[in-house]
Each structure stands twice: as C-alpha cells, then as structure tokens.
C-alpha cells in the first residue's frame, strides 16, 4: 500500500516513474476522482467542460499515467453526480490505483464524505493512491494549507481522508520565502511532527504498511526543534 505525493504531477512523475513501474501491477485499473472543483458544478459540466475527454485537464493526467505504463482503456473517470454510491464502491474495489487530482480540497472532501459517502472505501484502500496538491494533502488525517495556497487566503488546519494516519504533515507548492519557511518550522515545532515540504519539482512516496518514506527531487524536511 503506497501513497504517491505530488505538488505538480507533471513535474513529479518523471522523478518517480521508474519506482512506480516496479510497484504498479501490469494492466492496472485506475480510478480518477476529479472532484476538487473550485466551485460547484453539475454532471454535464463535469463531463463536457471540467474534465472532458480529450481536453486539457483530462489529457494532463492521462499523459502522466501513460508514463508509468497505464493504458487509457483501463482508466475510469468517476462522477460524483451520475455514478451511484454502489457503482463508485465497485470501481474502487476493482482498481489497483486511485488518482486524486488537485484543486479545492474542501470541495473534494465534501464530495467524498457527504456527497457520495465513499470515505471508508478510500480511507481503507489497499492499492496505490496517487495524489496531487489537494489530492496529496487530503490523504492525511489532518492537514494544513498555507495562506498562499488557501482559496480563502488564510492559514488553517482541516480534516482529511485519513489514508495516512497522522505521522507527519505535508506542505505542497512550497516556495523559498523566509517567512513562508519559518511558518513550516513553527508547525513542526508546535505539533512535534516532521513537515515535508514538497516543491513543485519534488515528490514523496510513503509505504503505508512499513511507514517507509522516500523523497525525490526538491523536498525539504522540517523537524521539530528541541527547546
């Protein structure tokens, strides 16, 4: 059981593709959940605008999955509007990989927990979960968003899906700004947990069975400082 954690999938995937080819079964089935909408939409806009097959957002993720040997025919794009809860559960059950894209994490959380009621299925998933940005943060039991990255422009903690049961925190889209980085160190100190800062050109793989962590590219670790 692995969690693959990106800030930007197109920059991180090249760093981990060799590793993923080793751990992802051949002819794997992939379920994509593109539910992190900036604002509420409907089934028609999801299929024909937001994540339309052949269009920019859709192609962006398909391209990266193909790099690790996934065939497009084996990829299912899940709908929080037109797919029933039972259908979604079946798709998850029959998949080897789940992809959680970036966007608005609170919208994503609401769709999984309240809209479709599939939190249990994602939280206890035994396969590989690939996350980008919001899809990375939401894998944690609790996560924070900096003011720079928050849709509401303030720093705050939120509830996640709990796939990763709180051993550390993650920051996505990290920047080299002294005030920004000092905030990450403050979180590490106050919460007494490591904060892994994943820049856009970094990636992290976490083995949920062994708790082994592998860092790739531009990732910085903030450890709690001793008083």
């Amino acid at each position: 059981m692995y969690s693959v954690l990106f800030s930007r999938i197109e920059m991180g995937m090249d760093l981990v593709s060799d590793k993923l080819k080793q751990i992802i079964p051949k002819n794997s089935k992939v379920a994509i959940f593109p539910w992190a909408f900036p604002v509420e939409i409907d089934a028609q806009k999801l299929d024909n605008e937001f994540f339309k097959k052949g269009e920019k957002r859709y192609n962006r993720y398909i391209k990266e999955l193909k790099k690790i040997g996934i065939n497009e025919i084996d990829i299912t794009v899940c709908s929080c509007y037109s797919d029933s809860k039972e259908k979604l559960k079946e798709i998850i059950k029959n998949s080897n990989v789940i992809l959680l894209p970036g966007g608005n994490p609170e919208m994503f959380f609401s769709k999984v927990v309240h809209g479709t009621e599939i939190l249990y299925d994602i939280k206890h998933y035994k396969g590989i979960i690939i996350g980008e940005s919001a899809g990375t943060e939401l894998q944690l039991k609790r996560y924070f968003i900096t003011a720079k990255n928050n849709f509401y422009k303030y720093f705050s903690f939120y509830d996640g899906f709990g796939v990763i049961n709180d051993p550390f925190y993650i920051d996505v889209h990290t920047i080299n700004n002294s005030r920004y980085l000092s905030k990450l160190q403050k979180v590490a100190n106050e919460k007494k947990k490591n904060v892994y800062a994943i820049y856009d050109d970094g990636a992290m793989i976490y083995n949920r069975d062994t708790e082994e962590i592998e860092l790739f590219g531009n990732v910085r670790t903030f450890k709690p400082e001793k008083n």
Side-chain angles (χ1 to χ4, degrees):
M1 300 196 304
Y2 292 89
S3 287
V4 185
L5 308 162
F6 298 127
S7 282
R8 287 187 62 189
I9 192 170
E10 66 268 33
M11 298 182 74
M13 186 63 85
D14 290 336
L15 300 171
V16 301
S17 59
D18 289 342
K19 171 73 175 182
L20 293 186
K21 287 175 184 177
Q22 296 173 17
I23 63 177
I24 292 178
K26 291 188 180 300
N27 302 314
S28 284
K29 304 293 185 182
V30 179
I32 302 181
F33 292 82
W35 299 355
F37 321 121
V39 295
E40 185 64 84
I41 60 176
D42 56 26
Q44 183 175 357
K45 285 190 175 181
L46 172 59
D47 294 338
N48 298 323
E49 294 180 29
F50 185 80
F51 212 76
K52 184 178 180 180
K53 185 174 182 177
E55 296 293 337
K56 183 177 180 180
R57 186 178 279 109
Y58 174 93
N59 288 342
R60 178 170 174 259
Y61 291 103
I62 302 305
K63 177 183 176 182
E64 300 309 316
L65 290 172
K66 286 181 176 179
K67 288 181 181 178
I68 53 175
I70 304 296
N71 298 312
E72 186 171 357
I73 194 172
D74 292 321
I75 299 171
T76 300
V77 178
C78 300
S79 173
C80 53
Y81 301 111
S82 57
D83 291 336
S84 67
K85 179 171 67 175
E86 291 72 26
K87 181 178 179 180
L88 292 170
K89 287 177 176 289
E90 193 66 19
I91 291 171
I92 293 171
K93 180 181 177 181
N94 293 323
S95 69
N96 307 99
V97 180
I98 284 176
L99 173 59
L100 307 178
N104 183 341
E106 287 186 89
M107 178 69 75
F108 207 160
F109 184 84
S110 176
K111 294 302 181 190
V112 166
V113 176
H114 306 297
T116 58
E117 299 178 353
I118 58 169
L119 175 61
Y120 181 91
D121 306 87
I122 291 179
K123 181 177 180 179
H124 298 285
Y125 187 66
K126 302 301 183 184
I128 295 167
I129 301 181
I130 299 174
E132 179 196 38
S133 191
T136 284
E137 296 281 21
L138 281 166
Q139 292 190 52
L140 297 168
K141 185 176 181 180
R142 288 280 288 172
Y143 69 95
F144 67 81
I145 307 181
T146 60
K148 179 185 80 71
N149 294 326
N150 199 328
F151 277 72
Y152 309 107
K153 302 305 177 185
Y154 56 77
F155 179 96
S156 188
F157 280 86
Y158 299 91
D159 289 329
F161 297 151
V163 176
I164 301 172
N165 194 23
D166 235 17
F168 48 75
Y169 290 109
I170 297 172
D171 182 62
V172 293
H173 306 301
T174 307
I175 57 172
N176 285 323
N177 173 281
S178 58
R179 290 183 64 184
Y180 188 100
L181 297 176
S182 67
K183 182 65 175 178
L184 301 185
Q185 184 63 61
K186 183 179 179 182
V187 172
N189 293 344
E190 290 180 351
K191 301 300 182 180
K192 295 181 170 43
K193 293 180 183 179
N194 287 357
V195 174
Y196 293 97
I198 304 176
Y199 291 74
D200 284 354
D201 56 345
M204 177 174 166
I205 296 180
Y206 178 65
N207 186 319
R208 303 195 300 275
D209 286 327
T210 65
E211 300 183 357
E212 179 185 4
I213 294 170
E214 295 181 80
L215 305 179
F216 302 81
N218 198 359
V219 182
R220 182 170 175 179
T221 305
F222 292 85
K223 299 181 178 180
E225 296 173 333
K226 296 180 179 179
N227 295 329

